[in-house]
Amino acid sequence: MSIGIGVIGTGVMGAEHARILRHETPGAHLAGICDADAARAQAVAAGATVFSDPQSLIASDQIDAIVIASPDATHAALTLACIRAGKPVLCEKPLASSAADALEVVRAEVALGHRLIQVGYMRRFDPGYREIKRVKDTGELGGPALLHNVHRNVRAPEWFDGSMAITNSFVHEIDISRWLLGSEMVSARVEAGPGGEPLMITMKTDKDEIVSTEVFVNASYGYHVHVELVARQGTISLAPASLTLLNRDRAGGLAYPDNWVPRFEEAYCRQMAEWVSAVKAGTSVGASAWDGYVASAIAEQVAEALAGNGVATLKYGPRPPLYD
Ligand SMILES: NC(=O)c1ccc[n+]([C@@H]2O[C@H](COP(=O)([O-])OP(=O)(O)OC[C@H]3O[C@@H](n4cnc5c(N)ncnc54)[C@H](O)[C@@H]3O)[C@@H](O)[C@H]2O)c1
């Protein structure tokens, strides 16, 4: 049986999720769509019901599960509404725009007693990151010592403000570093380059590993995400994820995409497929609400450190048994 999915927010990410649901997700169909800009919703509906507001989409009998791809500040309230309706959610990252709001979502899910929320930290579904985790978990490289992350965008989205390079971008590295290493972050140090970027963030884990991350959201030349794991008997890193080799002006090289959609297309598709399978089976995959809370809590403390003395001893409460 095909399950009906509703997508809230049909901008860059919501339109991509809608496309994946229509064309690349067996066992599910795009049943409803909603955007604050009705014309934008209409443009990607392709026969799905266009709802005038998120609450009526969440409540509709046509909708079995919900993808939230509206702006960060809307995530917590919409996720809470889905929990109240008892419907599974794939919520784009971050889970909330503050640690307190993310914790409220965790508490609502804990009170419900079963997991309904997956946070869209899609790198966990990327074939390259998965291979690094597989090799690391075999132990053949020895114990991990360092993880180097690079996160560069052509330009920050127009809606970026304040500390979003940390609370919206760096959250990806917090999540993927915790997932790859199976470690928790205990402290952080952050510095900004001239004019405020790039950011250089160094975290220590509870196993004494070092996690370094450069976040450069206006790097101009291309969308470029990289990681290298340095272990005692070897290293493993992502290979260039380029689709093309470009020769021009007496030079040749790999091409970078303009943004994350082509780079992580396979990850978005696998994330959707595995989420749909989990919804049907009543199980859960990917980043939980707890993972979403931890990423937002660390990001908030790193942002505070950037505005202060540059260092933070990271704090987040004990993990509820629901997330063991
Ligand atoms: N996982 C990833 O790799 C990734 C990449 C980019 C963005 N994101 C996340 O996806 C979300 C959306 O980002 P985007 O780049 O698509 O932004 P966007 O601005 O392109 O799209 C957001 C859409 O939400 C609509 N909207 C605003 N308020 C709304 C509301 N209350 N109800 C319904 N619709 C509303 C807007 O009209 C717009 O169409 C953000 O939270 C962002 O952090 C995730």
Side-chain angles (χ1 to χ4, degrees):
M1 195 196 77
S2 174
I3 59 169
I5 311 291
V7 175
I8 300 174
T10 54
V12 176
M13 280 317 303
E16 174 65 3
H17 290 312
R19 185 195 68 76
I20 289 170
L21 280 164
R22 279 203 310 273
H23 301 299
E24 313 210 30
T25 315
H29 60 278
L30 181 68
I33 206 128
C34 166
D35 194 287
D37 178 340
R40 202 175 277 181
Q42 200 67 54
V44 300
T49 304
V50 177
F51 290 87
S52 58
D53 66 284
Q55 301 303 335
S56 53
L57 178 147
I58 293 167
S60 167
D61 289 346
Q62 297 174 56
I63 306 297
D64 300 306
I66 293 116
V67 174
I68 298 173
S70 45
D72 300 5
T74 66
H75 292 183
L78 290 173
T79 306
L80 288 167
C82 294
I83 292 175
R84 282 194 295 275
K87 294 189 180 178
V89 185
L90 173 59
C91 178
E92 263 306 343
K93 46 55 56 174
L95 176 58
S97 48
S98 75
D101 286 355
L103 191 56
E104 196 182 336
V105 176
V106 166
R107 288 188 173 136
E109 201 179 42
V110 167
L112 184 75
H114 66 272
R115 285 168 57 173
L116 284 179
I117 298 160
Q118 180 177 331
V119 185
Y121 285 114
M122 78 300 174
R123 292 187 192 178
R124 295 180 181 219
F125 299 88
D126 178 70
Y129 278 102
R130 281 192 163 181
E131 179 61 6
I132 292 174
K133 181 159 174 60
R134 188 194 67 75
V135 171
K136 176 249 164 198
D137 286 349
T138 64
E140 66 196 65
L141 295 180
L146 281 168
L147 192 69
H148 292 295
N149 295 294
V150 169
H151 186 151
R152 299 185 189 137
N153 298 69
V154 175
R155 69 199 83 78
E158 60 196 25
W159 42 264
F160 253 43
D161 59 23
S163 52
M164 278 185 135
I166 298 172
T167 60
N168 184 282
S169 297
F170 175 55
V171 284
H172 272 301
E173 278 73 28
I174 299 172
D175 183 71
I176 204 67
S177 300
R178 290 179 66 237
W179 181 76
L180 281 175
L181 294 170
S183 305
E184 292 297 349
M185 307 299 144
V186 295
S187 63
R189 175 178 295 274
V190 54
E191 287 176 292
E197 63 175 349
L199 299 175
M200 190 66 212
I201 302 150
T202 310
M203 298 187 289
K204 273 299 219 25
T205 76
D206 55 357
K207 298 186 200 118
D208 226 19
E209 300 137 329
I210 296 173
V211 176
S212 75
T213 307
E214 174 202 316
V215 182
F216 193 5
V217 295
N218 289 291
S220 298
Y221 70 87
Y223 179 72
H224 184 187
V225 161
H226 188 63
V227 69
E228 181 174 19
L229 173 72
V230 179
R232 300 288 168 193
Q233 267 104 50
T235 79
I236 184 165
S237 58
L238 289 176
S242 184
L243 298 175
T244 54
L245 175 61
L246 179 70
N247 297 311
R248 198 179 63 190
D249 299 334
R250 289 163 294 285
L254 301 169
Y256 288 101
D258 187 55
N259 71 15
W260 45 90
V261 175
R263 164 62 184 87
F264 284 111
E265 185 179 355
E266 194 166 348
Y268 294 125
C269 289
R270 287 182 182 211
Q271 170 180 254
M272 188 67 79
E274 293 192 29
W275 176 63
V276 164
S277 297
V279 167
K280 288 181 153 187
T283 56
S284 49
V285 289
S288 67
W290 176 254
D291 296 317
Y293 159 69
V294 172
S296 290
I298 292 175
E300 197 169 276
Q301 291 168 65
V302 169
E304 284 165 11
L306 182 62
N309 66 358
V311 294
T313 301
L314 300 171
K315 298 185 187 73
Y316 29 89
R319 186 174 61 200
L322 181 64
Y323 304 103
D324 286 347

